[in-house]
Amino acid sequence: MDLGLAGKGVLVTGGAGGIGAATVRAFAAEGARVAIHYRSSGETASALARETGGVALQADLTDEAAADALVPAAVAALGRLDVCVANAGVWSQESLPLVDMPMERFRHVVDGNLTATFLTCRAYLRHVREVGHGSIVLVGSTSGIFGEEGNAEYAAVKSGLCFGLARSLKNEIVRFAPRGRVNVVAPGWTVTPMVGDLLDAAFVDRATATYPLRKVATPEDCASSIVFLASDAAAGHLSGQIVTVAGGMEGRLIWS
Ligand SMILES: NC(=O)c1ccc[n+]([C@@H]2O[C@H](COP(=O)([O-])OP(=O)(O)OC[C@H]3O[C@@H](n4cnc5c(N)ncnc54)[C@H](OP(=O)(O)O)[C@@H]3O)[C@@H](O)[C@H]2O)c1
């Protein structure tokens, strides 16, 4: 099936990370031109831009002015911006009950996920309001659906993205883009730099105990769902949906 993405302009935030880089490559394979946003991974982003014919753009998305400037920079570089993938995010590898959680960690995770996504969407929606079309794919997490003991602050912000933000923005975008859509990909455990070497055999065995497919995701598993949701040809009547990329996950084991 032709996804109709050839020649489209796409912004992927956190585009040099695990899921981000796979998403950049998947869009490029469909003939889209991609603005690869990065915060600190400049060399990876530049190499990916050379590989895919895209452009690398830097911004710390917790900084309001930097986030506001990112979208106009992407439009200037690509000439158009049909899709925004709000993928950048942070997660702590240290499992810590909320009862012991310092405010610094809470603020870091809220800013790195919710604030960054709010600012990305605001900047992109200003562009959509000007041109009258566009769509958004947010990257949430199964933690926002099932919770995540030891990372409650992350689960709370990802719930905010998956539910409150997506379901509000899907109704706001159509006020100025009648075919505008907002959807969510919610990955489960995925092999990326974010989780590092945490995913050893024992961890995977426990983490996937409620997955009928009994495996963690590859970044490509997530990327293909993101590209599908971004495609007006394939997903043009889908909005406000959460695609969970977690092998049929039903929940979490609470007791060993
Ligand atoms: N891996 C998993 O198991 C998993 C599961 C569920 C959901 N997710 C979600 O998937 C998304 C991608 O994560 P990933 O696994 O691919 O991790 P990753 O490789 O660590 O990528 C995350 C990217 O976010 C960018 N980023 C972080 N803070 C930023 C900030 N303040 N401003 C701008 N960019 C920032 C980083 O950019 P730089 O490298 O340039 O600094 C990084 O490349 C995240 O939203 C994450 O929460 C991941």
Side-chain angles (χ1 to χ4, degrees), residues 76-235:
L78 303 180
R80 59 188 294 167
L81 200 54
D82 305 280
V83 175
C84 175
V85 181
N87 163 73
V90 291
W91 174 79
S92 176
Q93 288 192 17
E94 184 192 7
S95 179
L96 197 59
L98 187 133
V99 69
D100 292 323
M101 191 173 293
M103 274 309 289
E104 295 73 36
R105 169 157 152 181
F106 175 79
R107 289 200 175 102
H108 174 69
V109 171
V110 170
D111 278 352
N113 292 286
L114 195 55
T115 307
T117 303
F118 161 78
L119 290 172
T120 300
C121 290
R122 190 181 69 173
Y124 181 62
L125 287 169
R126 287 174 177 162
H127 171 70
V128 173
R129 185 166 57 185
E130 270 175 34
V131 298
H133 68 90
S135 84
I136 296 175
V137 182
L138 304 175
V139 177
S141 168
T142 49
S143 68
I145 299 167
F146 299 110
E148 187 172 334
E149 180 182 353
N151 291 82
E153 85 297 13
Y154 178 79
V157 295
K158 289 296 192 182
S159 288
L161 298 186
C162 288
F163 296 99
L165 192 67
R167 291 178 182 183
S168 303
L169 297 189
K170 80 175 170 60
N171 295 347
E172 293 189 11
I173 195 171
V174 294
R175 303 291 175 194
F176 34 81
R179 294 287 176 267
R181 301 176 297 108
V182 179
N183 289 292
V184 183
V185 165
W189 296 107
T190 307
V191 183
T192 73
M194 182 175 275
V195 293
D197 50 15
L198 194 68
L199 300 183
D200 62 18
F203 189 98
V204 170
D205 199 45
R206 182 178 163 78
T208 60
T210 70
Y211 288 32
L213 296 181
R214 211 76 215 265
K215 75 172 200 55
V216 293
T218 62
E220 290 73 22
D221 287 327
C222 302
S224 56
S225 290
I226 292 169
V227 169
F228 161 72
L229 287 173
S231 162
D232 290 336

Side-chain angles (χ1 to χ4, degrees), residues 219-255:
E220 290 73 22
D221 287 327
C222 302
S224 56
S225 290
I226 292 169
V227 169
F228 161 72
L229 287 173
S231 162
D232 290 336
H237 208 41
L238 300 187
S239 197
Q241 301 304 301
I242 304 171
V243 173
T244 303
V245 183
M249 180 181 186
E250 289 205 13
R252 295 187 189 281
L253 290 183
I254 298 170
W255 308 111

